[in-house]
Amino acid sequence: MLGWNMKAARRAAMAAMLAAPAGAALAASPVLQAEQSDVATLPPVGAHWVLPATDRDAYTLYDADAGRILGTLPASILGNIALSPDRRTFYVADTIWSRVDHGTRQDLLQEYDSHTLALRREIPLPPRALAVYKGQDFDVSPDGKWGYVFDMSPATSVTIVDLAKGAVARTVDIPGCALVFPWKQGGFSSLCGDGSLTNVGYAGDQPTVTHTAPFFDANNDPIFEQGLVDRATGHALFVSYTGKVYEAALGQKPDIAASWSLQAAAGQPVAGTGVQEQAWRPGGKQPFAWNRATGHLFVLMHVGPHWTHKTDGTEIWEFDPTRHALVRRIDLPQPARGIAVSGDAAPLLYATSPDGTMTVIDARTGTVRRTVEAHAQSMIVAPDLLPGRNG
C-alpha cells in the first residue's frame, strides 16, 4: 500500500508540473549574471614580501607575514630579478629560445608593473652570461637609471641599459672579471680571477675603468660570488671559503679593509685550507644575507673540510660587522641552501631547503614563524626597500 501511495504522489506531482504555464517555471529560476573579468592590484611592495625562485619557471611573490601568495613573475632558472628603487617595477633579465631548448636565442630585460605584475615592455640585450640562480649577474643602480647585465660571449663584459629609454646604452669589457656589484652612485665593481676588483665608473658618457691590487687568495681561499652590497651606502661584504670577511667601500678607488674571521668572532677555531680539516664554514647556494636596518650579517654555516662551500647550512650565524662580533646562532629545523633577510628593523629571515620548503624566522629571536610549501629553489630575493622611496 505504501509503495502504491508513493507512485501515485509522483504521478500527481508530474501532472502538476506539466499543467503549470511555461513562464512560471522560468520565473522561479535565478537569473545568472555575466562574469566580469578584472585585474587585481597589489599595494606598494611591503617590507616582508619575498620572492623565492621556484621549480615552476617563476618567482613566486609571498607576503611572509600572512604566509600567502600574492602573485608570480615568469622566469627561467637562468633568469635574474631585481626591484627598482622606487618599487614600481620588477626587472627580469632572462634568455629564451624559439624552440624551447634550441633555435633562435633571445636575451631580454623584461619590465613588470609591481602593482599588477603585468608585462610592460621587453628590452633586447646582447648575449648574457647563463648561470643558474646567480643574483649577481644583474642589478639596478640605486638611482634607478641603469641596469647592469653581466655578459659572457665568451669574453666577459657588462651591458649597461638605460632604463628610462628602454635601450642598451653601451657594453663595457671586463676581461678576466665577472658579476656586478653596484656603487652608491656612478658605477659598479666586478670580481676578478687574480683576487682583485675591476671598477667601472659610468654617468652616461665614456666609462672610466680602474683596478685594485689583489686582496684575496683566489687559488687557495677564493671568495664567494654571492657578495653583498648595501645600495644606500655602497658598502660591500665579501666572504671567503674559509670564513674571512673583506669589507669594501665601493667606488672608482675602493677602500678595502683588513679581513676578519667569522669563526674567531664566534669564539671558534679559525678554519684552514686543509682538505681533511673539520671546522665551521660558510656554505650553500645563497649563503649570506644582510639586514640594512641593523647592519647585521647572516651566514649559513656547516661543519666540514675545505672546499665544502656549497654544502647546505645547519645553522645561521648572525654577526655585527662593525664590532666583528657574533650576535647569535640560530638552529635550523632542517638544512638550508639559501637565505635572505628583510631590510627593516623587525627583520624576517627566509631559508630555503632542498625539499622546496621556505622557513620564515623571526631574526630577533630565532623563532620559526611558519613553514611554507613554496617549491623553492636556492635563489630567494627579499626586496631591499631604500629609505625615502615610495611605491
Side-chain angles (χ1 to χ4, degrees):
M1 179 64 73
L2 179 59
W4 182 88
N5 288 339
M6 293 180 65
K7 291 179 181 178
R10 283 198 292 269
R11 285 197 295 269
M14 181 63 71
M17 290 178 61
L18 293 174
L26 294 175
S29 301
V31 178
L32 297 179
Q33 299 295 325
E35 183 177 352
Q36 300 295 321
S37 63
D38 64 351
V39 177
T41 300
L42 294 172
V45 175
H48 291 166
W49 290 15
V50 62
L51 293 106
T54 72
D55 59 9
R56 309 299 172 88
D57 285 332
Y59 283 81
T60 301
L61 180 60
Y62 283 90
D63 179 343
D65 287 323
R68 66 187 182 94
I69 294 176
L70 299 173
T72 59
L73 288 164
S76 73
I77 62 174
L78 303 173
N80 308 113
I81 190 168
L83 176 66
S84 65
D86 64 7
R87 313 180 200 177
R88 298 179 185 275
T89 305
F90 286 109
Y91 292 100
V92 177
D94 211 344
T95 300
I96 60 175
W97 284 263
S98 60
R99 298 181 181 271
V100 183
D101 59 356
H102 65 286
T104 303
R105 172 175 167 171
Q106 291 180 284
D107 294 82
L108 301 166
L109 181 59
Q110 300 168 313
E111 293 184 6
Y112 290 90
D113 186 291
S114 66
H115 293 291
T116 64
L117 304 187
L119 178 63
R120 287 200 297 239
R121 66 176 173 179
E122 295 179 323
I123 304 169
L125 297 173
R128 304 166 49 241
L130 303 183
V132 175
Y133 301 129
K134 189 71 67 180
Q136 291 71 28
D137 278 358
F138 167 67
D139 214 330
V140 175
S141 63
D143 59 10
K145 292 182 179 179
W146 311 107
Y148 303 128
V149 185
F150 173 54
D151 304 329
M152 184 181 291
S153 61
T156 57
S157 60
V158 172
T159 293
I160 302 176
V161 181
D162 186 323
L163 297 176
K165 295 180 179 179
V168 170
R170 69 178 306 122
T171 297
V172 181
D173 292 330
I174 51 168
C177 306
L179 311 176
V180 290
F181 301 93
W183 306 346
K184 178 181 179 180
Q185 63 181 30
F188 62 90
S189 294
S190 299
L191 287 172
C192 302
D194 64 353
S196 67
L197 287 174
T198 282
N199 314 289
V200 179
Y202 184 74
D205 47 11
Q206 187 69 21
T208 302
V209 181
T210 61
H211 305 274
T212 71
F215 64 95
F216 66 94
D217 186 344
N219 293 319
N220 299 305
D221 189 20
I223 62 176
F224 286 85
E225 295 175 337
Q226 295 84 3
L228 303 170
V229 180
D230 181 350
R231 291 186 181 188
T233 65
H235 190 68
L237 295 176
F238 300 104
V239 183
S240 78
Y241 289 4
T242 64
K244 293 179 180 177
V245 181
Y246 299 88
E247 301 184 43
L250 299 182
Q252 202 71 71
K253 296 181 179 179
D255 182 11
I256 303 172
S259 66
W260 55 277
S261 164
L262 296 174
Q263 296 88 343
Q268 297 289 327
V270 174
T273 57
V275 294
Q276 300 298 326
E277 183 181 346
Q278 297 292 316
W280 280 103
R281 300 176 186 271
K285 303 296 194 303
Q286 185 174 314
F288 312 113
W290 196 1
N291 174 251
R292 183 176 42 77
T294 63
H296 287 186
L297 169 68
F298 296 84
V299 184
L300 270 178
M301 301 291 290
H302 70 281
V303 174
H306 195 37
W307 305 116
T308 57
H309 51 283
K310 293 188 178 180
T311 300
D312 298 338
T314 57
E315 295 184 8
I316 298 175
W317 291 10
E318 179 184 355
F319 296 91
D320 182 348
T322 60
R323 298 187 295 115
H324 301 176
L326 178 74
V327 177
R328 65 171 55 83
R329 293 169 60 171
I330 300 173
D331 286 317
L332 291 170
Q334 58 183 325
R337 56 188 176 181
I339 59 172
V341 67
S342 64
D344 61 320
L348 294 181
L349 269 169
Y350 314 105
T352 59
S353 298
D355 65 358
T357 59
M358 179 176 67
T359 303
V360 181
I361 302 168
D362 187 327
R364 294 171 297 178
T365 63
T367 303
V368 173
R369 294 270 292 268
R370 60 175 42 87
T371 299
V372 181
E373 298 294 333
H375 299 274
Q377 301 297 300
S378 57
M379 181 75 176
I380 184 168
V381 177
D384 183 13
L385 305 185
L386 294 177
R389 303 284 188 178
N390 296 312

PDB file of all heavy atoms in Angstrom, residues 64-96:
ATOM      1  N   ALA A  64      55.136  37.346   3.620  1.00  0.00           N
ATOM      2  CA  ALA A  64      55.621  36.423   4.639  1.00  0.00           C
ATOM      3  C   ALA A  64      54.901  36.592   5.977  1.00  0.00           C
ATOM      4  O   ALA A  64      54.858  35.655   6.775  1.00  0.00           O
ATOM      5  CB  ALA A  64      57.130  36.603   4.835  1.00  0.00           C
ATOM      6  N   ASP A  65      54.352  37.776   6.244  1.00  0.00           N
ATOM      7  CA  ASP A  65      53.594  37.960   7.481  1.00  0.00           C
ATOM      8  C   ASP A  65      52.324  37.117   7.475  1.00  0.00           C
ATOM      9  O   ASP A  65      51.945  36.539   8.496  1.00  0.00           O
ATOM     10  CB  ASP A  65      53.237  39.436   7.676  1.00  0.00           C
ATOM     11  CG  ASP A  65      54.431  40.283   8.060  1.00  0.00           C
ATOM     12  OD1 ASP A  65      55.283  39.785   8.824  1.00  0.00           O
ATOM     13  OD2 ASP A  65      54.531  41.426   7.600  1.00  0.00           O
ATOM     14  N   ALA A  66      51.666  37.059   6.323  1.00  0.00           N
ATOM     15  CA  ALA A  66      50.413  36.310   6.215  1.00  0.00           C
ATOM     16  C   ALA A  66      50.631  34.891   5.713  1.00  0.00           C
ATOM     17  O   ALA A  66      49.734  34.051   5.825  1.00  0.00           O
ATOM     18  CB  ALA A  66      49.447  37.044   5.287  1.00  0.00           C
ATOM     19  N   GLY A  67      51.809  34.627   5.127  1.00  0.00           N
ATOM     20  CA  GLY A  67      52.079  33.312   4.586  1.00  0.00           C
ATOM     21  C   GLY A  67      51.268  32.998   3.353  1.00  0.00           C
ATOM     22  O   GLY A  67      50.944  31.838   3.089  1.00  0.00           O
ATOM     23  N   ARG A  68      50.941  34.014   2.554  1.00  0.00           N
ATOM     24  CA  ARG A  68      50.091  33.779   1.384  1.00  0.00           C
ATOM     25  C   ARG A  68      50.760  34.286   0.111  1.00  0.00           C
ATOM     26  O   ARG A  68      51.603  35.187   0.134  1.00  0.00           O
ATOM     27  CB  ARG A  68      48.733  34.446   1.553  1.00  0.00           C
ATOM     28  CG  ARG A  68      48.752  35.965   1.590  1.00  0.00           C
ATOM     29  CD  ARG A  68      47.386  36.527   1.930  1.00  0.00           C
ATOM     30  NE  ARG A  68      47.372  37.990   1.934  1.00  0.00           N
ATOM     31  CZ  ARG A  68      47.030  38.736   0.884  1.00  0.00           C
ATOM     32  NH1 ARG A  68      46.665  38.146  -0.234  1.00  0.00           N
ATOM     33  NH2 ARG A  68      47.034  40.049   0.961  1.00  0.00           N
ATOM     34  N   ILE A  69      50.360  33.683  -1.003  1.00  0.00           N
ATOM     35  CA  ILE A  69      50.889  34.055  -2.312  1.00  0.00           C
ATOM     36  C   ILE A  69      50.195  35.317  -2.810  1.00  0.00           C
ATOM     37  O   ILE A  69      48.970  35.430  -2.743  1.00  0.00           O
ATOM     38  CB  ILE A  69      50.694  32.909  -3.319  1.00  0.00           C
ATOM     39  CG1 ILE A  69      51.549  31.697  -2.914  1.00  0.00           C
ATOM     40  CG2 ILE A  69      51.050  33.351  -4.728  1.00  0.00           C
ATOM     41  CD1 ILE A  69      51.337  30.487  -3.796  1.00  0.00           C
ATOM     42  N   LEU A  70      50.982  36.248  -3.324  1.00  0.00           N
ATOM     43  CA  LEU A  70      50.448  37.477  -3.904  1.00  0.00           C
ATOM     44  C   LEU A  70      50.434  37.429  -5.427  1.00  0.00           C
ATOM     45  O   LEU A  70      49.621  38.103  -6.067  1.00  0.00           O
ATOM     46  CB  LEU A  70      51.275  38.676  -3.445  1.00  0.00           C
ATOM     47  CG  LEU A  70      51.310  38.924  -1.932  1.00  0.00           C
ATOM     48  CD1 LEU A  70      52.311  40.033  -1.607  1.00  0.00           C
ATOM     49  CD2 LEU A  70      49.937  39.278  -1.405  1.00  0.00           C
ATOM     50  N   GLY A  71      51.322  36.652  -6.021  1.00  0.00           N
ATOM     51  CA  GLY A  71      51.389  36.570  -7.471  1.00  0.00           C
ATOM     52  C   GLY A  71      52.658  35.864  -7.899  1.00  0.00           C
ATOM     53  O   GLY A  71      53.444  35.395  -7.060  1.00  0.00           O
ATOM     54  N   THR A  72      52.866  35.764  -9.205  1.00  0.00           N
ATOM     55  CA  THR A  72      54.065  35.138  -9.740  1.00  0.00           C
ATOM     56  C   THR A  72      54.633  35.986 -10.866  1.00  0.00           C
ATOM     57  O   THR A  72      53.906  36.711 -11.557  1.00  0.00           O
ATOM     58  CB  THR A  72      53.772  33.727 -10.288  1.00  0.00           C
ATOM     59  OG1 THR A  72      52.780  33.803 -11.312  1.00  0.00           O
ATOM     60  CG2 THR A  72      53.296  32.801  -9.183  1.00  0.00           C
ATOM     61  N   LEU A  73      55.942  35.883 -11.046  1.00  0.00           N
ATOM     62  CA  LEU A  73      56.649  36.539 -12.135  1.00  0.00           C
ATOM     63  C   LEU A  73      57.377  35.475 -12.942  1.00  0.00           C
ATOM     64  O   LEU A  73      58.222  34.757 -12.398  1.00  0.00           O
ATOM     65  CB  LEU A  73      57.648  37.554 -11.589  1.00  0.00           C
ATOM     66  CG  LEU A  73      57.051  38.825 -10.981  1.00  0.00           C
ATOM     67  CD1 LEU A  73      58.081  39.550 -10.137  1.00  0.00           C
ATOM     68  CD2 LEU A  73      56.535  39.749 -12.078  1.00  0.00           C
ATOM     69  N   PRO A  74      57.060  35.329 -14.237  1.00  0.00           N
ATOM     70  CA  PRO A  74      57.702  34.286 -15.040  1.00  0.00           C
ATOM     71  C   PRO A  74      59.211  34.510 -15.138  1.00  0.00           C
ATOM     72  O   PRO A  74      59.668  35.625 -15.366  1.00  0.00           O
ATOM     73  CB  PRO A  74      57.034  34.429 -16.407  1.00  0.00           C
ATOM     74  CG  PRO A  74      55.788  35.211 -16.165  1.00  0.00           C
ATOM     75  CD  PRO A  74      56.080  36.106 -15.003  1.00  0.00           C
ATOM     76  N   ALA A  75      59.978  33.434 -14.964  1.00  0.00           N
ATOM     77  CA  ALA A  75      61.433  33.492 -15.118  1.00  0.00           C
ATOM     78  C   ALA A  75      61.972  32.069 -15.138  1.00  0.00           C
ATOM     79  O   ALA A  75      61.517  31.225 -14.372  1.00  0.00           O
ATOM     80  CB  ALA A  75      62.085  34.282 -13.988  1.00  0.00           C
ATOM     81  N   SER A  76      62.925  31.815 -16.000  1.00  0.00           N
ATOM     82  CA  SER A  76      63.551  30.501 -16.064  1.00  0.00           C
ATOM     83  C   SER A  76      64.616  30.393 -14.980  1.00  0.00           C
ATOM     84  O   SER A  76      64.882  31.355 -14.244  1.00  0.00           O
ATOM     85  CB  SER A  76      64.182  30.292 -17.438  1.00  0.00           C
ATOM     86  OG  SER A  76      65.365  31.080 -17.560  1.00  0.00           O
ATOM     87  N   ILE A  77      65.260  29.222 -14.909  1.00  0.00           N
ATOM     88  CA  ILE A  77      66.327  29.051 -13.922  1.00  0.00           C
ATOM     89  C   ILE A  77      67.538  29.912 -14.271  1.00  0.00           C
ATOM     90  O   ILE A  77      68.433  30.090 -13.445  1.00  0.00           O
ATOM     91  CB  ILE A  77      66.746  27.581 -13.785  1.00  0.00           C
ATOM     92  CG1 ILE A  77      67.305  27.042 -15.121  1.00  0.00           C
ATOM     93  CG2 ILE A  77      65.590  26.730 -13.303  1.00  0.00           C
ATOM     94  CD1 ILE A  77      67.864  25.642 -15.011  1.00  0.00           C
ATOM     95  N   LEU A  78      67.569  30.450 -15.489  1.00  0.00           N
ATOM     96  CA  LEU A  78      68.652  31.341 -15.910  1.00  0.00           C
ATOM     97  C   LEU A  78      68.308  32.806 -15.672  1.00  0.00           C
ATOM     98  O   LEU A  78      69.123  33.686 -15.938  1.00  0.00           O
ATOM     99  CB  LEU A  78      68.956  31.128 -17.393  1.00  0.00           C
ATOM    100  CG  LEU A  78      69.336  29.703 -17.809  1.00  0.00           C
ATOM    101  CD1 LEU A  78      69.434  29.609 -19.320  1.00  0.00           C
ATOM    102  CD2 LEU A  78      70.638  29.291 -17.152  1.00  0.00           C
ATOM    103  N   GLY A  79      67.094  33.082 -15.200  1.00  0.00           N
ATOM    104  CA  GLY A  79      66.636  34.456 -15.037  1.00  0.00           C
ATOM    105  C   GLY A  79      67.137  35.099 -13.762  1.00  0.00           C
ATOM    106  O   GLY A  79      67.402  34.431 -12.758  1.00  0.00           O
ATOM    107  N   ASN A  80      67.296  36.402 -13.809  1.00  0.00           N
ATOM    108  CA  ASN A  80      67.665  37.207 -12.635  1.00  0.00           C
ATOM    109  C   ASN A  80      66.610  38.274 -12.429  1.00  0.00           C
ATOM    110  O   ASN A  80      66.064  38.807 -13.397  1.00  0.00           O
ATOM    111  CB  ASN A  80      69.030  37.869 -12.829  1.00  0.00           C
ATOM    112  CG  ASN A  80      70.104  36.884 -13.223  1.00  0.00           C
ATOM    113  OD1 ASN A  80      70.609  36.925 -14.326  1.00  0.00           O
ATOM    114  ND2 ASN A  80      70.442  35.970 -12.331  1.00  0.00           N
ATOM    115  N   ILE A  81      66.352  38.619 -11.184  1.00  0.00           N
ATOM    116  CA  ILE A  81      65.265  39.555 -10.889  1.00  0.00           C
ATOM    117  C   ILE A  81      65.763  40.644  -9.953  1.00  0.00           C
ATOM    118  O   ILE A  81      66.624  40.409  -9.090  1.00  0.00           O
ATOM    119  CB  ILE A  81      64.063  38.801 -10.264  1.00  0.00           C
ATOM    120  CG1 ILE A  81      62.827  39.701 -10.182  1.00  0.00           C
ATOM    121  CG2 ILE A  81      64.411  38.221  -8.910  1.00  0.00           C
ATOM    122  CD1 ILE A  81      61.556  38.938  -9.862  1.00  0.00           C
ATOM    123  N   ALA A  82      65.244  41.861 -10.139  1.00  0.00           N
ATOM    124  CA  ALA A  82      65.580  42.982  -9.264  1.00  0.00           C
ATOM    125  C   ALA A  82      64.386  43.922  -9.211  1.00  0.00           C
ATOM    126  O   ALA A  82      63.624  44.041 -10.173  1.00  0.00           O
ATOM    127  CB  ALA A  82      66.820  43.725  -9.760  1.00  0.00           C
ATOM    128  N   LEU A  83      64.234  44.599  -8.079  1.00  0.00           N
ATOM    129  CA  LEU A  83      63.172  45.586  -7.889  1.00  0.00           C
ATOM    130  C   LEU A  83      63.756  46.979  -8.066  1.00  0.00           C
ATOM    131  O   LEU A  83      64.832  47.288  -7.552  1.00  0.00           O
ATOM    132  CB  LEU A  83      62.565  45.442  -6.489  1.00  0.00           C
ATOM    133  CG  LEU A  83      61.487  46.453  -6.080  1.00  0.00           C
ATOM    134  CD1 LEU A  83      60.233  46.283  -6.929  1.00  0.00           C
ATOM    135  CD2 LEU A  83      61.150  46.297  -4.592  1.00  0.00           C
ATOM    136  N   SER A  84      63.054  47.833  -8.803  1.00  0.00           N
ATOM    137  CA  SER A  84      63.520  49.211  -8.981  1.00  0.00           C
ATOM    138  C   SER A  84      63.515  49.937  -7.644  1.00  0.00           C
ATOM    139  O   SER A  84      62.721  49.615  -6.752  1.00  0.00           O
ATOM    140  CB  SER A  84      62.627  49.949  -9.978  1.00  0.00           C
ATOM    141  OG  SER A  84      61.311  50.084  -9.472  1.00  0.00           O
ATOM    142  N   PRO A  85      64.396  50.934  -7.456  1.00  0.00           N
ATOM    143  CA  PRO A  85      64.440  51.659  -6.179  1.00  0.00           C
ATOM    144  C   PRO A  85      63.128  52.334  -5.801  1.00  0.00           C
ATOM    145  O   PRO A  85      62.843  52.499  -4.617  1.00  0.00           O
ATOM    146  CB  PRO A  85      65.552  52.692  -6.408  1.00  0.00           C
ATOM    147  CG  PRO A  85      66.429  52.068  -7.433  1.00  0.00           C
ATOM    148  CD  PRO A  85      65.504  51.328  -8.348  1.00  0.00           C
ATOM    149  N   ASP A  86      62.308  52.733  -6.794  1.00  0.00           N
ATOM    150  CA  ASP A  86      61.032  53.359  -6.456  1.00  0.00           C
ATOM    151  C   ASP A  86      59.920  52.334  -6.220  1.00  0.00           C
ATOM    152  O   ASP A  86      58.770  52.698  -5.999  1.00  0.00           O
ATOM    153  CB  ASP A  86      60.603  54.356  -7.546  1.00  0.00           C
ATOM    154  CG  ASP A  86      60.339  53.690  -8.891  1.00  0.00           C
ATOM    155  OD1 ASP A  86      60.349  52.435  -8.971  1.00  0.00           O
ATOM    156  OD2 ASP A  86      60.110  54.413  -9.875  1.00  0.00           O
ATOM    157  N   ARG A  87      60.274  51.031  -6.306  1.00  0.00           N
ATOM    158  CA  ARG A  87      59.372  49.913  -6.002  1.00  0.00           C
ATOM    159  C   ARG A  87      58.237  49.768  -7.010  1.00  0.00           C
ATOM    160  O   ARG A  87      57.290  49.032  -6.771  1.00  0.00           O
ATOM    161  CB  ARG A  87      58.783  50.027  -4.585  1.00  0.00           C
ATOM    162  CG  ARG A  87      59.775  50.346  -3.494  1.00  0.00           C
ATOM    163  CD  ARG A  87      59.109  50.441  -2.134  1.00  0.00           C
ATOM    164  NE  ARG A  87      59.936  51.183  -1.188  1.00  0.00           N
ATOM    165  CZ  ARG A  87      59.572  51.465   0.046  1.00  0.00           C
ATOM    166  NH1 ARG A  87      58.389  51.092   0.492  1.00  0.00           N
ATOM    167  NH2 ARG A  87      60.369  52.149   0.844  1.00  0.00           N
ATOM    168  N   ARG A  88      58.322  50.432  -8.144  1.00  0.00           N
ATOM    169  CA  ARG A  88      57.228  50.380  -9.117  1.00  0.00           C
ATOM    170  C   ARG A  88      57.419  49.293 -10.176  1.00  0.00           C
ATOM    171  O   ARG A  88      56.471  48.954 -10.887  1.00  0.00           O
ATOM    172  CB  ARG A  88      57.068  51.734  -9.809  1.00  0.00           C
ATOM    173  CG  ARG A  88      56.705  52.871  -8.870  1.00  0.00           C
ATOM    174  CD  ARG A  88      56.583  54.187  -9.628  1.00  0.00           C
ATOM    175  NE  ARG A  88      56.359  55.316  -8.726  1.00  0.00           N
ATOM    176  CZ  ARG A  88      55.177  55.693  -8.277  1.00  0.00           C
ATOM    177  NH1 ARG A  88      54.098  55.020  -8.652  1.00  0.00           N
ATOM    178  NH2 ARG A  88      55.064  56.727  -7.456  1.00  0.00           N
ATOM    179  N   THR A  89      58.645  48.762 -10.288  1.00  0.00           N
ATOM    180  CA  THR A  89      58.951  47.856 -11.390  1.00  0.00           C
ATOM    181  C   THR A  89      59.803  46.688 -10.916  1.00  0.00           C
ATOM    182  O   THR A  89      60.784  46.883 -10.193  1.00  0.00           O
ATOM    183  CB  THR A  89      59.708  48.598 -12.509  1.00  0.00           C
ATOM    184  OG1 THR A  89      58.950  49.733 -12.928  1.00  0.00           O
ATOM    185  CG2 THR A  89      59.954  47.687 -13.696  1.00  0.00           C
ATOM    186  N   PHE A  90      59.399  45.487 -11.335  1.00  0.00           N
ATOM    187  CA  PHE A  90      60.269  44.321 -11.231  1.00  0.00           C
ATOM    188  C   PHE A  90      60.942  44.134 -12.585  1.00  0.00           C
ATOM    189  O   PHE A  90      60.278  44.119 -13.626  1.00  0.00           O
ATOM    190  CB  PHE A  90      59.471  43.061 -10.879  1.00  0.00           C
ATOM    191  CG  PHE A  90      59.011  42.988  -9.457  1.00  0.00           C
ATOM    192  CD1 PHE A  90      57.672  43.145  -9.143  1.00  0.00           C
ATOM    193  CD2 PHE A  90      59.908  42.745  -8.430  1.00  0.00           C
ATOM    194  CE1 PHE A  90      57.240  43.076  -7.831  1.00  0.00           C
ATOM    195  CE2 PHE A  90      59.488  42.674  -7.117  1.00  0.00           C
ATOM    196  CZ  PHE A  90      58.147  42.841  -6.808  1.00  0.00           C
ATOM    197  N   TYR A  91      62.275  43.996 -12.559  1.00  0.00           N
ATOM    198  CA  TYR A  91      63.027  43.723 -13.782  1.00  0.00           C
ATOM    199  C   TYR A  91      63.472  42.260 -13.771  1.00  0.00           C
ATOM    200  O   TYR A  91      63.978  41.765 -12.755  1.00  0.00           O
ATOM    201  CB  TYR A  91      64.262  44.615 -13.869  1.00  0.00           C
ATOM    202  CG  TYR A  91      63.960  46.084 -14.075  1.00  0.00           C
ATOM    203  CD1 TYR A  91      63.993  46.977 -13.012  1.00  0.00           C
ATOM    204  CD2 TYR A  91      63.651  46.577 -15.348  1.00  0.00           C
ATOM    205  CE1 TYR A  91      63.724  48.333 -13.196  1.00  0.00           C
ATOM    206  CE2 TYR A  91      63.382  47.931 -15.538  1.00  0.00           C
ATOM    207  CZ  TYR A  91      63.418  48.794 -14.460  1.00  0.00           C
ATOM    208  OH  TYR A  91      63.144  50.128 -14.661  1.00  0.00           O
ATOM    209  N   VAL A  92      63.289  41.586 -14.897  1.00  0.00           N
ATOM    210  CA  VAL A  92      63.728  40.205 -15.058  1.00  0.00           C
ATOM    211  C   VAL A  92      64.630  40.129 -16.281  1.00  0.00           C
ATOM    212  O   VAL A  92      64.193  40.431 -17.401  1.00  0.00           O
ATOM    213  CB  VAL A  92      62.540  39.235 -15.213  1.00  0.00           C
ATOM    214  CG1 VAL A  92      63.054  37.813 -15.457  1.00  0.00           C
ATOM    215  CG2 VAL A  92      61.648  39.278 -13.977  1.00  0.00           C
ATOM    216  N   ALA A  93      65.891  39.764 -16.090  1.00  0.00           N
ATOM    217  CA  ALA A  93      66.806  39.510 -17.198  1.00  0.00           C
ATOM    218  C   ALA A  93      66.772  38.013 -17.476  1.00  0.00           C
ATOM    219  O   ALA A  93      67.048  37.207 -16.586  1.00  0.00           O
ATOM    220  CB  ALA A  93      68.218  39.969 -16.848  1.00  0.00           C
ATOM    221  N   ASP A  94      66.420  37.634 -18.697  1.00  0.00           N
ATOM    222  CA  ASP A  94      66.241  36.216 -18.985  1.00  0.00           C
ATOM    223  C   ASP A  94      66.625  35.924 -20.428  1.00  0.00           C
ATOM    224  O   ASP A  94      66.826  36.842 -21.242  1.00  0.00           O
ATOM    225  CB  ASP A  94      64.787  35.801 -18.732  1.00  0.00           C
ATOM    226  CG  ASP A  94      64.665  34.350 -18.287  1.00  0.00           C
ATOM    227  OD1 ASP A  94      65.633  33.587 -18.459  1.00  0.00           O
ATOM    228  OD2 ASP A  94      63.591  33.969 -17.763  1.00  0.00           O
ATOM    229  N   THR A  95      66.729  34.626 -20.740  1.00  0.00           N
ATOM    230  CA  THR A  95      67.095  34.171 -22.072  1.00  0.00           C
ATOM    231  C   THR A  95      66.135  33.071 -22.498  1.00  0.00           C
ATOM    232  O   THR A  95      65.827  32.173 -21.714  1.00  0.00           O
ATOM    233  CB  THR A  95      68.542  33.636 -22.092  1.00  0.00           C
ATOM    234  OG1 THR A  95      69.431  34.693 -21.684  1.00  0.00           O
ATOM    235  CG2 THR A  95      68.939  33.157 -23.472  1.00  0.00           C
ATOM    236  N   ILE A  96      65.638  33.159 -23.746  1.00  0.00           N
ATOM    237  CA  ILE A  96      64.710  32.165 -24.262  1.00  0.00           C
ATOM    238  C   ILE A  96      65.161  31.729 -25.651  1.00  0.00           C
ATOM    239  O   ILE A  96      65.967  32.407 -26.295  1.00  0.00           O
ATOM    240  CB  ILE A  96      63.263  32.701 -24.326  1.00  0.00           C
ATOM    241  CG1 ILE A  96      63.179  33.942 -25.242  1.00  0.00           C
ATOM    242  CG2 ILE A  96      62.739  33.031 -22.939  1.00  0.00           C
ATOM    243  CD1 ILE A  96      61.770  34.463 -25.451  1.00  0.00           C
TER     244      ILE A  96
END
